[in-house]
Coordinates of all heavy atoms in Angstrom, one line a residue:
V147 N 142.1 78.0 47.1 CA 141.9 79.5 47.0 C 140.5 79.8 47.4 O 139.5 79.6 46.7 CB 142.2 79.9 45.5 CG1 142.0 81.4 45.4 CG2 143.6 79.5 45.1
V148 N 140.4 80.3 48.7 CA 139.1 80.4 49.3 C 138.6 81.8 49.3 O 139.4 82.8 49.6 CB 139.1 79.8 50.7 CG1 137.7 79.8 51.4 CG2 139.7 78.4 50.7
G149 N 137.3 82.1 49.1 CA 136.7 83.4 49.2 C 136.3 84.0 47.8 O 136.8 83.5 46.8
P150 N 135.5 85.0 47.9 CA 135.1 85.6 46.6 C 136.2 86.4 46.0 O 137.2 86.7 46.6 CB 134.0 86.6 47.1 CG 134.3 86.9 48.5 CD 135.0 85.7 49.0
P151 N 136.1 86.7 44.7 CA 137.2 87.5 44.0 C 137.4 88.8 44.7 O 136.5 89.5 45.1 CB 136.6 87.8 42.6 CG 135.6 86.6 42.4 CD 135.0 86.3 43.7
G152 N 138.7 89.1 44.9 CA 139.1 90.3 45.6 C 139.3 90.1 47.1 O 139.8 91.0 47.8
G153 N 138.8 89.0 47.6 CA 139.0 88.7 49.1 C 139.4 87.2 49.3 O 139.0 86.6 50.3
T154 N 140.3 86.7 48.4 CA 140.7 85.3 48.5 C 141.8 85.1 49.4 O 142.6 86.1 49.7 CB 141.0 84.7 47.1 OG1 142.1 85.5 46.6 CG2 139.8 84.8 46.2
Q155 N 142.0 83.9 49.9 CA 143.1 83.5 50.7 C 143.5 82.1 50.3 O 142.7 81.2 50.1 CB 142.8 83.5 52.2 CG 143.9 83.3 53.1 CD 143.6 83.5 54.6 OE1 142.5 84.0 54.9 NE2 144.4 83.0 55.5
R156 N 144.8 81.9 50.1 CA 145.4 80.6 49.6 C 145.8 79.8 50.9 O 146.6 80.1 51.7 CB 146.6 80.8 48.7 CG 147.0 79.5 47.9 CD 148.0 79.9 46.9 NE 148.3 78.7 46.0 CZ 149.3 77.9 46.2 NH1 150.1 78.1 47.3 NH2 149.6 76.9 45.4
L157 N 145.1 78.6 51.0 CA 145.3 77.8 52.2 C 145.8 76.4 51.8 O 145.3 75.8 50.9 CB 144.0 77.6 52.9 CG 143.3 78.9 53.4 CD1 141.9 78.6 54.0 CD2 144.1 79.7 54.4
P158 N 146.8 75.9 52.5 CA 147.4 74.5 52.2 C 146.5 73.4 52.8 O 145.8 73.7 53.8 CB 148.8 74.6 52.8 CG 148.6 75.5 54.0 CD 147.6 76.6 53.6
G159 N 146.6 72.3 52.2 CA 145.9 71.1 52.8 C 146.6 69.8 52.5 O 147.6 69.8 51.7
H160 N 146.2 68.8 53.2 CA 146.8 67.4 53.1 C 145.7 66.5 52.8 O 144.8 66.3 53.6 CB 147.5 67.1 54.3 CG 148.5 68.1 54.8 ND1 148.2 69.2 55.4 CD2 149.9 68.1 54.6 CE1 149.3 70.0 55.7 NE2 150.3 69.3 55.2
K161 N 145.7 65.9 51.6 CA 144.6 65.1 51.1 C 144.1 64.0 52.0 O 142.9 63.8 52.3 CB 144.9 64.6 49.7 CG 145.0 65.6 48.6 CD 145.3 65.0 47.3 CE 145.5 66.0 46.2 NZ 145.8 65.5 44.9
Y162 N 145.1 63.3 52.6 CA 144.8 62.2 53.4 C 144.0 62.7 54.7 O 142.9 62.1 55.0 CB 146.0 61.4 53.9 CG 145.8 60.5 55.0 CD1 145.1 59.3 54.8 CD2 146.2 60.8 56.3 CE1 144.9 58.4 55.9 CE2 146.0 59.9 57.4 CZ 145.3 58.8 57.1 OH 145.1 57.9 58.2
V163 N 144.5 63.7 55.3 CA 143.8 64.2 56.5 C 142.4 64.7 56.2 O 141.4 64.5 56.9 CB 144.6 65.3 57.2 CG1 143.9 65.9 58.4 CG2 146.0 64.8 57.5
L164 N 142.3 65.5 55.1 CA 141.0 66.0 54.7 C 140.0 64.9 54.3 O 138.8 64.9 54.7 CB 141.2 66.9 53.5 CG 142.0 68.2 53.8 CD1 142.3 69.0 52.5 CD2 141.2 69.1 54.8
A165 N 140.5 63.8 53.7 CA 139.6 62.7 53.3 C 139.1 61.9 54.5 O 138.0 61.4 54.5 CB 140.4 61.8 52.3
V166 N 140.0 61.9 55.5 CA 139.5 61.2 56.7 C 138.5 62.0 57.5 O 137.6 61.4 58.1 CB 140.8 61.0 57.7 CG1 140.3 60.5 59.1 CG2 141.7 60.0 57.1
G167 N 138.5 63.3 57.3 CA 137.5 64.2 58.1 C 136.3 64.5 57.3 O 135.3 65.0 57.9
S168 N 136.2 64.2 56.0 CA 135.0 64.6 55.2 C 134.8 63.7 54.1 O 135.8 63.4 53.3 CB 135.2 66.1 54.7 OG 134.3 66.4 53.7
S169 N 133.6 63.2 53.9 CA 133.3 62.3 52.8 C 133.4 63.1 51.4 O 133.7 62.5 50.4 CB 131.9 61.7 53.0 OG 130.9 62.7 53.0
V170 N 133.1 64.4 51.5 CA 133.2 65.2 50.3 C 134.6 65.3 49.8 O 134.9 65.1 48.6 CB 132.6 66.6 50.5 CG1 132.8 67.5 49.3 CG2 131.1 66.5 50.8
F171 N 135.5 65.5 50.7 CA 137.0 65.6 50.4 C 137.5 64.2 49.9 O 138.3 64.1 49.0 CB 137.8 66.1 51.6 CG 137.7 67.5 51.8 CD1 137.4 68.1 53.0 CD2 138.0 68.4 50.8 CE1 137.3 69.4 53.3 CE2 137.9 69.8 51.0 CZ 137.6 70.3 52.2
H172 N 136.9 63.1 50.5 CA 137.3 61.8 50.1 C 136.9 61.6 48.7 O 137.7 61.0 47.9 CB 136.7 60.8 51.0 CG 137.1 59.4 50.7 ND1 136.4 58.6 49.7 CD2 138.1 58.6 51.1 CE1 136.9 57.4 49.6 NE2 138.0 57.4 50.5
A173 N 135.7 61.9 48.3 CA 135.3 61.8 46.9 C 136.1 62.7 46.0 O 136.4 62.3 44.8 CB 133.8 62.1 46.8
M174 N 136.4 63.8 46.5 CA 137.1 64.8 45.6 C 138.6 64.3 45.3 O 139.1 64.5 44.2 CB 137.2 66.2 46.4 CG 137.8 67.3 45.6 SD 138.0 68.8 46.6 CE 136.3 69.1 47.0
F175 N 139.2 63.7 46.3 CA 140.6 63.3 46.1 C 140.8 61.8 45.7 O 141.8 61.5 45.0 CB 141.4 63.6 47.4 CG 141.4 65.0 47.8 CD1 141.2 65.4 49.1 CD2 141.6 66.0 46.8 CE1 141.2 66.8 49.4 CE2 141.5 67.4 47.2 CZ 141.3 67.7 48.5
Y176 N 139.9 60.9 46.2 CA 140.1 59.5 46.0 C 138.9 58.8 45.4 O 138.9 57.6 45.2 CB 140.4 58.8 47.4 CG 141.6 59.4 48.1 CD1 141.5 60.3 49.2 CD2 142.9 59.1 47.6 CE1 142.6 60.8 49.8 CE2 144.0 59.6 48.3 CZ 143.8 60.5 49.3 OH 144.9 61.0 50.0
G177 N 137.9 59.5 45.0 CA 136.7 58.9 44.4 C 136.9 58.6 42.9 O 138.0 58.8 42.4
E178 N 135.9 58.0 42.3 CA 136.0 57.5 41.0 C 136.2 58.7 40.0 O 136.8 58.6 38.9 CB 134.7 56.8 40.6 CG 134.6 55.5 41.3 CD 133.3 54.7 40.9 OE1 132.6 55.2 40.1 OE2 133.1 53.6 41.4
L179 N 135.6 59.9 40.4 CA 135.7 61.1 39.5 C 136.7 62.1 40.1 O 136.6 63.3 39.8 CB 134.3 61.7 39.4 CG 133.2 60.8 38.8 CD1 131.9 61.6 38.8 CD2 133.6 60.3 37.4
A180 N 137.6 61.6 40.9 CA 138.6 62.5 41.5 C 139.5 63.2 40.4 O 139.8 62.6 39.4 CB 139.5 61.7 42.4
E181 N 139.7 64.4 40.6 CA 140.6 65.2 39.7 C 141.9 65.5 40.4 O 141.9 66.0 41.5 CB 139.9 66.5 39.3 CG 138.6 66.3 38.5 CD 138.0 67.6 38.1 OE1 138.6 68.6 38.2 OE2 136.8 67.6 37.5

Side-chain angles (χ1 to χ4, degrees):
V147 180
V148 186
T154 60
Q155 188 173 346
R156 193 169 186 267
L157 304 174
H160 307 78
K161 293 181 179 180
Y162 166 74
V163 179
L164 295 171
V166 169
S168 164
S169 59
V170 175
F171 283 128
H172 181 272
M174 185 185 299
F175 300 135
Y176 302 105
E178 295 180 357
L179 302 178
E181 297 183 8

